[in-house]
């Protein structure tokens, strides 16, 4: 993320990538970011019918992945990267 910006068109060769935005404001919405993320990804994950959900960040994405996985009865692995 050079300069804090994500390249929304980046995709490694041979890998289909779908970026999903969810609302969030630094500090202000932190307690609610996992709920917002969950709402944003649920329909996308459901449409993929995955065998497994893999999340690389514990909060808020990992927490949201666990909630979606429980609802869809899909196992979830969360990796804690960063601080």
């Amino acid at each position: 993320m050079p300069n804090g910006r994500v390249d929304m068109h980046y995709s490694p060769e041979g890998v289909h990538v779908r970026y999903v935005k969810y609302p969030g404001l630094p500090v202000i919405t932190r307690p609610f970011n996992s709920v917002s993320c969950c709402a944003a990804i649920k329909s996308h994950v459901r449409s993929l019918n995955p065998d497994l959900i893999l999340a690389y960040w514990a909060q808020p994405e990992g927490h949201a992945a666990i909630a979606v996985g429980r609802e869809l009865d899909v196992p979830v692995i969360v990796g804690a990267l960063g601080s």
Side-chain angles (χ1 to χ4, degrees), residues 2-16:
N3 301 322
R5 296 195 175 132
V6 175
D7 179 0
M8 298 296 285
H9 302 288
Y10 174 76
S11 178
E13 187 175 330
V15 177
H16 173 73

Side-chain angles (χ1 to χ4, degrees), residues 3-71:
N3 301 322
R5 296 195 175 132
V6 175
D7 179 0
M8 298 296 285
H9 302 288
Y10 174 76
S11 178
E13 187 175 330
V15 177
H16 173 73
V17 176
R18 181 186 306 171
Y19 293 92
V20 179
K21 291 183 180 182
Y22 59 91
L25 297 170
V27 181
I28 296 170
T29 62
R30 188 171 290 153
F32 310 105
N33 285 348
S34 61
V35 174
S36 178
C37 181
C38 181
I41 68 170
K42 191 182 315 183
S43 66
H44 295 286
V45 174
R46 182 179 281 124
S47 72
L48 295 170
N49 194 29
D51 296 319
L52 174 75
I53 300 171
L54 177 61
Y56 284 105
W57 300 100
Q59 181 64 16
E61 292 86 355
H63 190 244
I66 291 169
V68 171
R70 283 182 178 154
E71 185 172 323

